[in-house]
């Protein structure tokens, strides 16, 4: 039997979201999945908004889905790590760039 959305994504999270192409961001509560064994959860301390985010917020490329929480250049503090994580620990400062989770098995 399939899990309900609340079971799959039980962790309540806060962000600033675009809800339409107006370019305005507003407070937004959404849900995330629990931290997996290879995941790192962190509190966002700083987040950059780049030109790609601005194009996406305003749907200038015609492929945006709303609501959208923009920002992919992030600095934060680790709050939880999965059981298989070895490189960082709770309390460490971390950064996330625009390229994350690539499979490294194809040219893209």
């Amino acid at each position: 039997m399939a899990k309900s959305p609340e079971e799959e994504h039980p962790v309540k999270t806060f962000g600033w979201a675009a809800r339409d192409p107006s370019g305005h961001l507003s407070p937004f509560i959404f849900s995330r999945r629990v931290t997996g064994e290879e995941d790192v959860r962190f509190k966002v301390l700083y987040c950059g908004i780049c030109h790609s985010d601005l194009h996406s917020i305003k749907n200038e490329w015609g492929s945006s889905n709303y609501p959208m929480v923009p920002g992919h250049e992030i600095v934060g503090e680790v709050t939880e790590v999965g059981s298989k994580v070895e490189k960082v620990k709770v309390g460490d400062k971390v950064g996330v760039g625009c390229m994350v989770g690539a499979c490294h098995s194809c040219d893209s």
Side-chain angles (χ1 to χ4, degrees), residues 84-107:
K84 293 186 177 180
V85 173
E86 297 176 359
K87 293 184 179 181
V88 297
K89 63 184 181 314
V90 172
D92 284 353
K93 300 296 190 279
V94 293
V96 180
C98 60
M99 301 296 187
V100 200
C103 68
H104 304 289
S105 63
C106 65
D107 291 339

Side-chain angles (χ1 to χ4, degrees), residues 28-68:
F28 182 61
I29 302 293
F30 60 103
S31 297
R32 307 226 15 164
R33 63 181 170 78
V34 298
T35 305
E37 60 186 17
E38 296 181 344
D39 294 336
V40 173
R41 181 175 303 244
F42 60 94
K43 177 181 179 179
V44 175
L45 300 175
Y46 305 97
C47 178
I49 301 292
C50 72
H51 73 285
S52 297
D53 295 312
L54 297 176
H55 290 300
S56 295
I57 290 167
K58 295 182 177 187
N59 197 27
E60 292 174 343
W61 293 328
S63 59
S64 296
N65 294 311
Y66 300 101
M68 167 195 313

